[in-house]
Amino acid sequence: MRVVSFALLCVLLVSCADRSTTTGDVEPTAQQSFQWKLVTTWPKNFPGLGTAPENFAKNVERMSNGRLKIKVFGAGQLVPAFEVFDAVSQGTAQIGHGASYYWKGKVPASVFYTAVPFGLNAQEMNAWLQYGGGLELWRELYAPFNLIPFAGGNTGVQMAGWFNREINSIADLKGLKMRIPGLGGEVFTRAGGTSINLPGGELYTSMQTGVIDATEWVGPYNDLAFGFHQVAKYYYYPGWQEPGPTLELIINKAAYESLPADLQAIVEVAAAAANQDMLNEYTARNNAALIELVEKHGVQVKKLPDDVLAEFKRLSAEVVEELASEDPLSRRIAESMKAFAIQAKAYHGISEEAYYNARRQ
Ligand code: CA
């Protein structure tokens, strides 16, 4: 036993000595272990959005046999929700989980990577990111911030949101203060409303105190957990603003590059698993939550009028075009996404959509 311990000590001393003789570029070895901090924009353990990074961290630890341990912090525990991007960019935390459109003030084109109104659904977003060039452009967009983005979840088509008054025409949006981030928020403002961006944890109180008149969040499963049925009467669909929003895992570039290749692969595969798992969870749990909202809590579920949706769609095209014309990279992202959407729409018109229509009859 003592001999083994001595041998181990020698290995460690040699390895330490090796490291001390070279400054900087040390080749990561399979013996090294790492401890990372993961900051999120969600309340700690919030269903789906908050449990996804927890599961990701557990999977990474399990697959790496404890060589990469990741501690997850909810919004406000280490940094506030809207400081996640900077915290990971600067290395305060090695990894973050959130939604890219929260960073639009810093990186305008980041909004493309959460959702484009009337754009790609979850299945199509994943396809564009992985096989349509979307991820490479996203990495180019975040490179100046020392960040490597990965898709880290998708909720599927969301709901249009909770309103404390009925929406029967565009005129009903006038003066309405709604929490709606990203491109959807810009569209909502142009349609006569006022869009406000707030983190999830502040929405219930903001609705209750009248700071906002309406809010979108995700869908029945998450909205039930926040209790929005207690502070708003009408629950509108469809989620034109977020038809298949991607959540992001952002990793500090230096931290990622300090990992040996096997741990990098584990992080990549765990992110892909988290991305798919979230969609599966929402697809399974939204159904029962919707029934509970309607049958137990008497929520009125309503469809946005066709002319309101048509106006949102018209304004969305305008907003996307303006954003695309801001700089060459924004243009390349918008064009790549648009070209993909045209093809997806053509084929999904005779596959997914045709099947939905046939199933309904
Ligand atoms: Ca949303």
Side-chain angles (χ1 to χ4, degrees):
M1 196 57 198
R2 209 171 292 159
V3 174
V4 173
S5 301
F6 180 73
L8 189 65
L9 185 65
C10 289
V11 169
L12 286 172
L13 285 173
V14 168
S15 120
C16 287
D18 275 354
R19 232 170 289 165
S20 63
T21 52
T22 46
T23 49
D25 302 326
V26 181
E27 268 304 301
T29 68
Q31 284 76 39
Q32 276 181 280
S33 59
F34 300 81
Q35 296 206 336
W36 277 10
K37 295 187 183 97
L38 188 159
V39 288
T40 74
T41 60
W42 327 113
K44 178 83 176 164
N45 277 319
F46 188 75
L49 301 171
T51 52
E54 301 280 352
N55 293 335
F56 165 81
K58 277 182 206 140
N59 283 335
V60 167
E61 184 168 341
R62 223 152 41 107
M63 287 193 278
S64 69
N65 198 20
R67 285 165 52 223
L68 177 52
K69 286 198 168 86
I70 300 176
K71 186 169 183 202
V72 181
F73 296 84
Q77 291 187 315
L78 192 64
V79 295
F82 289 166
E83 286 175 26
V84 163
F85 186 92
D86 285 345
V88 182
S89 175
Q90 290 155 12
T92 309
Q94 290 77 17
I95 182 163
H97 190 260
S100 63
Y101 63 11
Y102 292 149
W103 327 125
K104 78 168 180 179
K106 220 174 287 287
V107 193
S110 68
V111 295
F112 286 122
Y113 286 95
T114 307
V116 168
F118 301 94
L120 305 177
N121 68 12
Q123 200 174 336
E124 294 160 352
M125 269 301 277
N126 284 329
W128 175 63
L129 287 171
Q130 210 181 333
Y131 291 100
L135 185 62
E136 288 80 358
L137 288 166
W138 195 4
R139 295 203 165 153
E140 194 176 332
L141 183 69
Y142 278 15
F145 304 92
N146 302 313
L147 292 171
I148 303 174
F150 294 79
N154 198 304
T155 66
V157 180
Q158 298 197 348
M159 290 289 283
W162 297 86
F163 293 76
N164 59 16
R165 68 163 98 139
E166 277 190 76
I167 306 298
N168 296 312
S169 69
I170 282 287
D172 292 328
L173 302 175
K174 198 155 182 61
L176 201 74
K177 283 179 289 178
M178 180 171 184
R179 181 272 183 186
I180 171 169
L183 290 164
E186 184 57 35
V187 169
F188 187 77
T189 297
R190 290 187 193 200
T194 304
S195 66
I196 293 163
N197 187 17
L198 291 167
E202 294 175 25
L203 298 181
Y204 183 92
T205 310
S206 301
M207 281 295 281
Q208 199 177 31
T209 55
V211 170
I212 50 175
D213 310 304
T215 184
E216 67 85 60
W217 178 238
V218 177
Y221 170 45
N222 269 182
D223 296 5
L224 176 66
F226 263 150
F228 292 139
H229 54 280
Q230 294 158 3
V231 290
K233 198 169 170 186
Y234 306 107
Y235 197 20
Y236 274 93
Y237 71 93
W240 60 276
Q241 79 288 3
E242 294 186 34
T246 291
L247 287 315
E248 66 177 13
L249 274 164
I250 45 176
I251 304 183
N252 178 279
K253 188 169 179 277
Y256 187 73
E257 285 173 355
S258 74
L259 296 178
D262 63 335
L263 291 186
Q264 287 182 347
I266 285 170
V267 165
E268 190 179 339
V269 172
N275 190 47
Q276 185 60 46
D277 183 66
M278 188 187 288
L279 184 60
N280 299 348
E281 187 182 3
Y282 279 90
T283 304
R285 296 197 164 143
N286 276 328
N287 315 327
L290 179 65
I291 292 169
E292 188 177 337
L293 284 169
V294 173
E295 293 184 358
K296 196 171 161 196
H297 302 295
V299 167
Q300 293 191 39
V301 177
K302 288 176 171 289
K303 183 172 180 287
L304 283 173
D306 288 344
D307 58 340
V308 171
L309 285 170
E311 180 63 359
F312 283 159
K313 193 174 172 190
R314 186 187 70 79
L315 292 167
S316 296
E318 195 179 285
V319 165
V320 168
E321 177 49 36
E322 281 177 30
L323 177 56
S325 59
E326 277 190 19
D327 60 85
L329 182 53
S330 298
R331 171 64 69 194
R332 282 165 58 217
I333 295 168
E335 292 300 325
S336 168
M337 215 176 188
K338 192 175 166 189
F340 193 88
I342 288 168
Q343 290 187 358
K345 207 172 156 188
Y347 178 59
H348 275 175
I350 61 163
S351 55
E352 303 290 330
E353 205 176 325
Y355 170 66
Y356 280 173
N357 288 336
R359 186 167 69 174
R360 196 184 306 120
Q361 284 161 9

Coordinates of all heavy atoms in Angstrom, one line a residue, residues 226-289:
F226 N -45.3 28.8 -12.8 CA -45.1 30.2 -12.3 C -46.4 30.7 -11.8 O -46.4 31.8 -11.1 CB -44.7 31.1 -13.5 CG -43.2 31.3 -13.6 CD1 -42.5 31.5 -14.8 CD2 -42.4 31.4 -12.4 CE1 -41.2 31.8 -14.8 CE2 -41.0 31.6 -12.4 CZ -40.4 31.8 -13.7
G227 N -47.5 30.1 -12.0 CA -48.8 30.5 -11.5 C -49.4 31.7 -12.2 O -50.2 32.4 -11.6
F228 N -49.2 31.8 -13.5 CA -49.7 33.0 -14.2 C -51.2 33.0 -14.3 O -51.8 34.1 -14.5 CB -49.1 33.1 -15.7 CG -47.7 33.4 -15.7 CD1 -46.8 32.7 -16.6 CD2 -47.1 34.3 -14.9 CE1 -45.5 33.0 -16.6 CE2 -45.7 34.6 -14.9 CZ -44.9 33.9 -15.8
H229 N -51.9 31.8 -14.1 CA -53.3 31.8 -14.1 C -53.9 32.6 -13.0 O -55.1 32.9 -13.0 CB -53.8 30.3 -14.1 CG -53.2 29.5 -13.0 ND1 -51.9 29.0 -13.0 CD2 -53.7 29.2 -11.8 CE1 -51.7 28.4 -11.9 NE2 -52.7 28.5 -11.1
Q230 N -53.1 32.8 -12.0 CA -53.6 33.6 -10.8 C -53.6 35.1 -11.1 O -54.2 35.9 -10.3 CB -52.7 33.3 -9.6 CG -52.9 31.9 -9.1 CD -51.7 31.4 -8.3 OE1 -50.8 32.2 -8.0 NE2 -51.7 30.1 -7.9
V231 N -52.8 35.5 -12.1 CA -52.7 37.0 -12.3 C -53.1 37.4 -13.7 O -53.0 38.6 -14.1 CB -51.2 37.4 -12.1 CG1 -50.9 37.4 -10.6 CG2 -50.2 36.6 -12.9
A232 N -53.6 36.5 -14.5 CA -54.2 36.9 -15.9 C -55.3 35.9 -16.2 O -55.3 34.8 -15.8 CB -53.1 36.8 -16.9
K233 N -56.2 36.4 -17.0 CA -57.4 35.7 -17.3 C -57.3 34.9 -18.6 O -57.9 33.8 -18.8 CB -58.6 36.7 -17.4 CG -59.9 36.1 -17.2 CD -60.9 37.2 -17.0 CE -62.4 36.7 -17.1 NZ -63.3 37.8 -17.1
Y234 N -56.7 35.5 -19.6 CA -56.7 35.0 -21.0 C -55.4 34.4 -21.4 O -54.3 35.1 -21.2 CB -57.1 36.0 -22.0 CG -58.5 36.7 -21.6 CD1 -58.5 38.0 -21.1 CD2 -59.7 36.0 -21.8 CE1 -59.7 38.6 -20.8 CE2 -60.9 36.6 -21.4 CZ -60.9 37.9 -20.9 OH -62.0 38.5 -20.6
Y235 N -55.4 33.2 -22.0 CA -54.2 32.5 -22.4 C -54.3 32.3 -23.9 O -55.1 31.6 -24.4 CB -54.1 31.2 -21.7 CG -52.8 30.5 -21.6 CD1 -51.6 31.2 -21.9 CD2 -52.7 29.1 -21.4 CE1 -50.4 30.6 -21.8 CE2 -51.5 28.5 -21.3 CZ -50.3 29.2 -21.5 OH -49.1 28.6 -21.5
Y236 N -53.5 33.1 -24.6 CA -53.6 33.2 -26.1 C -52.6 32.2 -26.8 O -51.5 32.0 -26.3 CB -53.4 34.6 -26.6 CG -54.7 35.4 -26.6 CD1 -55.0 36.2 -25.5 CD2 -55.6 35.3 -27.7 CE1 -56.2 36.9 -25.5 CE2 -56.8 36.0 -27.7 CZ -57.1 36.8 -26.6 OH -58.3 37.5 -26.6
Y237 N -53.0 31.7 -27.9 CA -52.1 31.0 -28.8 C -52.3 31.4 -30.2 O -53.2 32.2 -30.5 CB -52.4 29.5 -28.7 CG -53.7 29.0 -29.3 CD1 -53.8 28.5 -30.6 CD2 -54.9 29.1 -28.5 CE1 -55.0 28.1 -31.1 CE2 -56.2 28.7 -29.1 CZ -56.2 28.2 -30.4 OH -57.4 27.8 -30.9
P238 N -51.5 31.1 -31.2 CA -50.2 30.3 -31.1 C -49.0 31.2 -30.8 O -49.1 32.4 -30.9 CB -50.1 29.7 -32.5 CG -50.6 30.8 -33.4 CD -51.7 31.5 -32.6
G239 N -47.9 30.6 -30.4 CA -46.7 31.3 -30.0 C -46.0 31.8 -31.3 O -44.9 31.3 -31.6
W240 N -46.6 32.7 -32.0 CA -46.0 33.2 -33.3 C -44.6 33.8 -33.0 O -43.7 33.7 -33.9 CB -46.9 34.4 -33.8 CG -47.0 35.5 -32.8 CD1 -47.9 35.6 -31.7 CD2 -46.2 36.7 -32.7 NE1 -47.7 36.7 -31.0 CE2 -46.6 37.4 -31.6 CE3 -45.1 37.2 -33.5 CZ2 -46.1 38.6 -31.2 CZ3 -44.6 38.4 -33.1 CH2 -45.0 39.1 -32.0
Q241 N -44.4 34.3 -31.8 CA -43.1 35.0 -31.5 C -42.0 34.0 -31.3 O -40.8 34.3 -31.5 CB -43.3 35.9 -30.3 CG -43.3 35.3 -28.9 CD -44.5 34.5 -28.6 OE1 -45.4 34.3 -29.4 NE2 -44.6 33.9 -27.4
E242 N -42.3 32.8 -30.8 CA -41.3 31.8 -30.6 C -41.7 30.4 -31.0 O -42.2 29.6 -30.2 CB -40.9 31.8 -29.1 CG -40.3 33.1 -28.7 CD -39.7 33.1 -27.2 OE1 -39.3 32.1 -26.7 OE2 -39.8 34.2 -26.6
P243 N -41.6 30.1 -32.3 CA -42.1 28.8 -32.8 C -41.3 27.6 -32.5 O -41.7 26.5 -32.6 CB -42.2 29.1 -34.3 CG -41.2 30.1 -34.6 CD -41.1 31.0 -33.4
G244 N -40.0 27.8 -32.1 CA -39.2 26.7 -31.7 C -37.9 27.2 -31.1 O -36.8 26.9 -31.6
P245 N -38.0 27.9 -30.0 CA -36.9 28.6 -29.5 C -35.8 27.7 -28.9 O -36.0 26.7 -28.2 CB -37.4 29.5 -28.3 CG -38.7 28.8 -28.0 CD -39.2 28.2 -29.2
T246 N -34.6 28.0 -29.3 CA -33.4 27.3 -28.8 C -32.9 27.9 -27.6 O -32.9 29.2 -27.5 CB -32.3 27.3 -29.9 OG1 -32.7 26.5 -31.0 CG2 -31.0 26.8 -29.4
L247 N -32.5 27.1 -26.6 CA -31.8 27.7 -25.4 C -30.3 27.4 -25.6 O -30.0 26.5 -26.4 CB -32.3 27.0 -24.1 CG -33.7 27.3 -23.6 CD1 -33.9 28.9 -23.6 CD2 -34.8 26.7 -24.3
E248 N -29.5 28.2 -25.0 CA -28.1 28.0 -25.3 C -27.2 27.6 -24.1 O -27.6 27.9 -23.0 CB -27.5 29.4 -25.8 CG -27.5 30.5 -24.8 CD -26.9 31.8 -25.3 OE1 -26.6 32.0 -26.5 OE2 -26.7 32.6 -24.4
L249 N -26.2 26.8 -24.4 CA -25.1 26.6 -23.4 C -23.9 27.4 -24.0 O -23.5 27.1 -25.1 CB -24.8 25.1 -23.3 CG -25.7 24.3 -22.3 CD1 -25.5 22.8 -22.7 CD2 -25.3 24.5 -20.9
I250 N -23.4 28.3 -23.2 CA -22.3 29.1 -23.7 C -21.1 28.7 -22.8 O -21.2 28.6 -21.6 CB -22.5 30.6 -23.7 CG1 -23.2 31.1 -22.4 CG2 -23.3 31.0 -24.9 CD1 -23.3 32.6 -22.4
I251 N -20.0 28.5 -23.5 CA -18.8 28.0 -22.8 C -17.6 29.0 -23.0 O -17.4 29.4 -24.2 CB -18.4 26.6 -23.2 CG1 -19.5 25.6 -22.9 CG2 -17.1 26.1 -22.4 CD1 -19.2 24.2 -23.2
N252 N -16.9 29.4 -22.0 CA -15.8 30.2 -22.1 C -14.7 29.5 -22.9 O -14.4 28.3 -22.6 CB -15.2 30.6 -20.7 CG -14.0 31.4 -20.8 OD1 -12.9 30.9 -21.0 ND2 -14.2 32.7 -20.6
K253 N -14.2 30.2 -24.0 CA -13.3 29.5 -24.9 C -12.1 28.9 -24.3 O -11.7 27.8 -24.5 CB -13.0 30.5 -26.0 CG -12.2 30.0 -27.2 CD -12.1 31.0 -28.3 CE -11.4 30.5 -29.5 NZ -9.9 30.6 -29.3
A254 N -11.4 29.7 -23.4 CA -10.2 29.3 -22.8 C -10.5 28.1 -21.9 O -9.7 27.1 -21.8 CB -9.6 30.4 -22.0
A255 N -11.6 28.1 -21.2 CA -12.0 27.0 -20.3 C -12.2 25.7 -21.1 O -11.7 24.6 -20.8 CB -13.2 27.3 -19.5
Y256 N -12.9 25.9 -22.3 CA -13.2 24.7 -23.1 C -11.9 24.1 -23.7 O -11.7 22.9 -23.7 CB -14.1 25.1 -24.3 CG -14.6 23.9 -25.1 CD1 -15.5 23.0 -24.6 CD2 -14.1 23.8 -26.4 CE1 -16.0 22.0 -25.4 CE2 -14.6 22.7 -27.2 CZ -15.5 21.8 -26.6 OH -15.9 20.7 -27.4
E257 N -11.0 25.1 -24.1 CA -9.8 24.6 -24.7 C -8.8 24.0 -23.7 O -7.9 23.3 -24.1 CB -9.1 25.8 -25.5 CG -9.9 26.0 -26.8 CD -9.4 27.2 -27.6 OE1 -8.6 28.0 -27.0 OE2 -9.9 27.5 -28.7
S258 N -9.0 24.3 -22.4 CA -8.1 23.7 -21.4 C -8.5 22.2 -21.1 O -7.8 21.5 -20.5 CB -8.2 24.5 -20.1 OG -9.4 24.3 -19.5
L259 N -9.7 21.8 -21.7 CA -10.1 20.4 -21.4 C -9.4 19.5 -22.4 O -9.2 19.8 -23.6 CB -11.6 20.3 -21.7 CG -12.6 21.0 -20.8 CD1 -14.0 20.7 -21.3 CD2 -12.4 20.6 -19.3
P260 N -9.0 18.2 -21.9 CA -8.5 17.2 -22.9 C -9.7 16.8 -23.9 O -10.8 17.1 -23.6 CB -8.1 16.1 -22.0 CG -8.7 16.3 -20.7 CD -9.0 17.8 -20.6
A261 N -9.3 16.2 -25.0 CA -10.3 16.0 -26.1 C -11.4 15.1 -25.6 O -12.6 15.3 -26.0 CB -9.5 15.3 -27.2
D262 N -11.2 14.2 -24.7 CA -12.3 13.3 -24.3 C -13.3 14.1 -23.5 O -14.5 13.9 -23.6 CB -11.8 12.1 -23.5 CG -11.1 12.4 -22.2 OD1 -10.5 13.5 -22.1 OD2 -11.1 11.5 -21.3
L263 N -12.9 15.0 -22.6 CA -13.8 15.8 -21.8 C -14.6 16.8 -22.7 O -15.8 17.1 -22.5 CB -13.1 16.6 -20.7 CG -12.6 15.7 -19.6 CD1 -12.1 16.6 -18.4 CD2 -13.6 14.8 -19.0
Q264 N -13.9 17.3 -23.8 CA -14.6 18.2 -24.7 C -15.7 17.4 -25.4 O -16.8 17.9 -25.6 CB -13.6 18.7 -25.8 CG -12.6 19.8 -25.2 CD -11.7 20.3 -26.3 OE1 -11.6 19.7 -27.4 NE2 -11.0 21.4 -26.0
A265 N -15.4 16.2 -25.8 CA -16.4 15.3 -26.4 C -17.6 15.1 -25.5 O -18.8 15.1 -25.9 CB -15.8 14.0 -26.9
I266 N -17.3 14.8 -24.2 CA -18.4 14.6 -23.2 C -19.3 15.8 -23.1 O -20.5 15.7 -23.1 CB -17.7 14.2 -21.9 CG1 -17.2 12.7 -22.0 CG2 -18.7 14.3 -20.7 CD1 -16.4 12.3 -20.8
V267 N -18.6 17.0 -23.1 CA -19.4 18.2 -23.0 C -20.3 18.4 -24.2 O -21.5 18.7 -24.1 CB -18.5 19.5 -22.8 CG1 -19.2 20.8 -23.1 CG2 -17.8 19.5 -21.5
E268 N -19.8 18.1 -25.4 CA -20.5 18.3 -26.6 C -21.7 17.3 -26.7 O -22.8 17.7 -27.0 CB -19.6 18.0 -27.8 CG -20.2 18.3 -29.1 CD -19.2 18.1 -30.3 OE1 -18.0 18.1 -30.0 OE2 -19.7 18.0 -31.4
V269 N -21.5 16.1 -26.3 CA -22.5 15.0 -26.3 C -23.6 15.3 -25.3 O -24.8 15.1 -25.5 CB -21.9 13.6 -26.2 CG1 -23.0 12.6 -26.1 CG2 -21.1 13.3 -27.5
A270 N -23.1 15.7 -24.1 CA -24.1 16.1 -23.0 C -25.0 17.2 -23.4 O -26.2 17.3 -23.0 CB -23.4 16.3 -21.7
A271 N -24.4 18.2 -24.1 CA -25.2 19.4 -24.6 C -26.3 18.9 -25.6 O -27.4 19.3 -25.5 CB -24.3 20.4 -25.2
A272 N -25.9 18.0 -26.5 CA -26.8 17.5 -27.5 C -27.9 16.7 -26.8 O -29.1 16.8 -27.2 CB -26.1 16.6 -28.5
A273 N -27.6 16.0 -25.8 CA -28.6 15.2 -25.0 C -29.6 16.2 -24.3 O -30.8 16.0 -24.3 CB -27.9 14.3 -24.0
A274 N -29.0 17.2 -23.7 CA -29.8 18.2 -23.0 C -30.8 18.9 -24.0 O -31.9 19.2 -23.7 CB -28.9 19.2 -22.3
N275 N -30.2 19.2 -25.2 CA -31.0 19.9 -26.2 C -32.3 19.1 -26.6 O -33.4 19.6 -26.6 CB -30.1 20.1 -27.4 CG -30.8 21.0 -28.4 OD1 -31.3 22.1 -28.1 ND2 -30.8 20.6 -29.7
Q276 N -32.1 17.8 -26.8 CA -33.2 16.9 -27.2 C -34.1 16.6 -26.0 O -35.3 16.6 -26.2 CB -32.7 15.6 -27.8 CG -33.8 14.7 -28.4 CD -34.6 15.4 -29.5 OE1 -34.0 16.0 -30.4 NE2 -35.9 15.3 -29.4
D277 N -33.5 16.4 -24.9 CA -34.3 16.0 -23.7 C -35.3 17.1 -23.3 O -36.4 16.8 -22.9 CB -33.3 15.7 -22.5 CG -34.1 15.2 -21.3 OD1 -34.7 14.1 -21.4 OD2 -34.2 16.0 -20.3
M278 N -34.9 18.3 -23.4 CA -35.9 19.4 -23.1 C -37.1 19.4 -24.0 O -38.2 19.5 -23.5 CB -35.2 20.8 -23.1 CG -36.1 21.9 -22.6 SD -35.4 23.5 -22.8 CE -34.1 23.5 -21.7
L279 N -36.9 19.2 -25.3 CA -38.0 19.1 -26.2 C -38.9 18.0 -25.8 O -40.2 18.1 -25.8 CB -37.5 19.0 -27.6 CG -38.6 19.1 -28.7 CD1 -39.4 20.4 -28.7 CD2 -38.0 18.9 -30.1
N280 N -38.3 16.8 -25.5 CA -39.1 15.7 -25.2 C -39.9 15.9 -23.9 O -41.1 15.6 -23.8 CB -38.2 14.5 -24.9 CG -37.4 14.1 -26.1 OD1 -37.7 14.5 -27.2 ND2 -36.4 13.2 -25.9
E281 N -39.3 16.6 -22.9 CA -40.0 16.8 -21.7 C -41.2 17.8 -21.9 O -42.3 17.6 -21.4 CB -39.0 17.4 -20.6 CG -39.7 17.5 -19.2 CD -38.8 18.2 -18.2 OE1 -37.6 18.6 -18.5 OE2 -39.2 18.2 -17.0
Y282 N -41.0 18.9 -22.6 CA -42.1 19.8 -22.8 C -43.2 19.2 -23.7 O -44.3 19.4 -23.4 CB -41.5 21.1 -23.5 CG -40.9 22.1 -22.6 CD1 -39.6 22.0 -22.3 CD2 -41.7 23.0 -21.9 CE1 -39.0 22.9 -21.4 CE2 -41.1 23.9 -21.1 CZ -39.7 23.8 -20.8 OH -39.1 24.7 -19.9
T283 N -42.8 18.4 -24.7 CA -43.8 17.7 -25.5 C -44.7 16.8 -24.6 O -45.9 16.7 -24.8 CB -43.1 16.9 -26.6 OG1 -42.2 17.8 -27.4 CG2 -44.1 16.3 -27.6
A284 N -44.0 16.2 -23.7 CA -44.8 15.3 -22.8 C -45.6 16.0 -21.8 O -46.8 15.7 -21.5 CB -43.8 14.3 -22.1
R285 N -45.1 17.1 -21.2 CA -45.7 17.7 -20.0 C -46.7 18.8 -20.3 O -47.5 19.2 -19.4 CB -44.7 18.1 -19.0 CG -43.9 16.9 -18.5 CD -43.1 17.1 -17.3 NE -42.8 15.8 -16.7 CZ -41.7 15.5 -16.1 NH1 -40.7 16.4 -16.0 NH2 -41.4 14.3 -15.6
N286 N -46.6 19.5 -21.5 CA -47.5 20.6 -21.8 C -48.9 20.1 -21.8 O -49.9 20.8 -21.4 CB -47.1 21.2 -23.1 CG -46.0 22.2 -23.0 OD1 -45.9 22.9 -22.0 ND2 -45.2 22.3 -24.0
N287 N -49.1 18.9 -22.3 CA -50.5 18.4 -22.5 C -51.3 18.3 -21.2 O -52.4 18.9 -21.1 CB -50.5 17.0 -23.1 CG -49.4 16.9 -24.3 OD1 -49.2 17.9 -25.0 ND2 -48.8 15.7 -24.4
A288 N -50.8 17.7 -20.2 CA -51.5 17.5 -18.9 C -51.6 18.9 -18.3 O -52.7 19.2 -17.6 CB -50.7 16.6 -18.0
A289 N -50.6 19.8 -18.4 CA -50.7 21.1 -17.8 C -51.8 21.9 -18.4 O -52.4 22.7 -17.7 CB -49.3 21.8 -17.9

